[in-house]
Amino acid sequence: MKKLIGPKKVKTAVFISGKGSNLKNLIKFSRFKKYPFSINLIISNNKKAKGLKYSKKYNIEKKIIKYDKKLKTDKMILNFLIKKKIELICLAGFMKILSKNFIKNFKGKIINIHPSLLPKYKGLNTHLRAIKNNDKFSGCTVHHVTSKLDTGKIILQIKVKIDKKDTPETLAKKILKKEHLIYPAAIKKILN
Ligand code: GRF
């Protein structure tokens, strides 16, 4: 695939709180011509997030935010995103819930990846819950973000088989691999 960071790419901010494997993967895909987005900003609410290392590695601006007063913080981020001309927000393991006002201002332009087959298992501990319920399949979902947790319209979803010997950790690994396939594909889908 040809690599290009062109002027026509949609300026994207990725919000993280931890490891950032989805962030790294999105950066990789953003460099392919076929994928119409560029990663221009990394936002983290956690100054110790491992994923912040990709800011230096790939020369992408980062901003660490301290969440004291939620509404005030959200307003500050919003203004910053506007200043940076960000057009799309990808949440990737971001552990904060954005305010209604924030979401309203970026309506239709915030998406999230969730490690379950939504609408099943919104919230945390998805893998453990799927295994405990003896589900045959779990998976991951990319969806639009609304003010209700893990609820917006689904963009793409991939199923993953749960084996008898799977633990939450092994299942998380298998699902994460699929996350890395569907997140860039979902962005491409909504931007094309
Ligand atoms: C992923 O499993 C994602 O679905 C969930 O948080 C995890 C983030 O992983 N929302 P990473 O930080 O991208 O490696």
Side-chain angles (χ1 to χ4, degrees), residues 10-13 15 41 43 74-91 98-111 144-146 190:
V10 171
K11 283 189 156 200
T12 303
F15 284 39
L41 183 63
I43 291 202
D74 274 5
K75 250 192 196 149
M76 184 273 288
I77 308 172
L78 195 60
N79 288 334
F80 189 70
L81 295 172
I82 292 167
K83 193 172 129 201
K84 296 286 166 187
K85 300 193 164 59
I86 294 297
E87 301 160 286
L88 177 71
I89 296 172
C90 293
L91 308 182
L98 297 162
S99 67
K100 272 190 185 158
N101 182 56
F102 185 96
I103 294 166
K104 207 175 88 194
N105 273 280
F106 256 87
K107 204 169 172 244
K109 294 182 215 152
I110 312 178
I111 61 176
H144 286 284
V145 171
T146 63
I190 60 164

Side-chain angles (χ1 to χ4, degrees), residues 18-23 92-93 113-115 176 179:
K19 201 161 68 153
S21 71
N22 276 290
L23 162 67
I113 186 145
H114 185 75
L176 195 62
E179 292 185 31

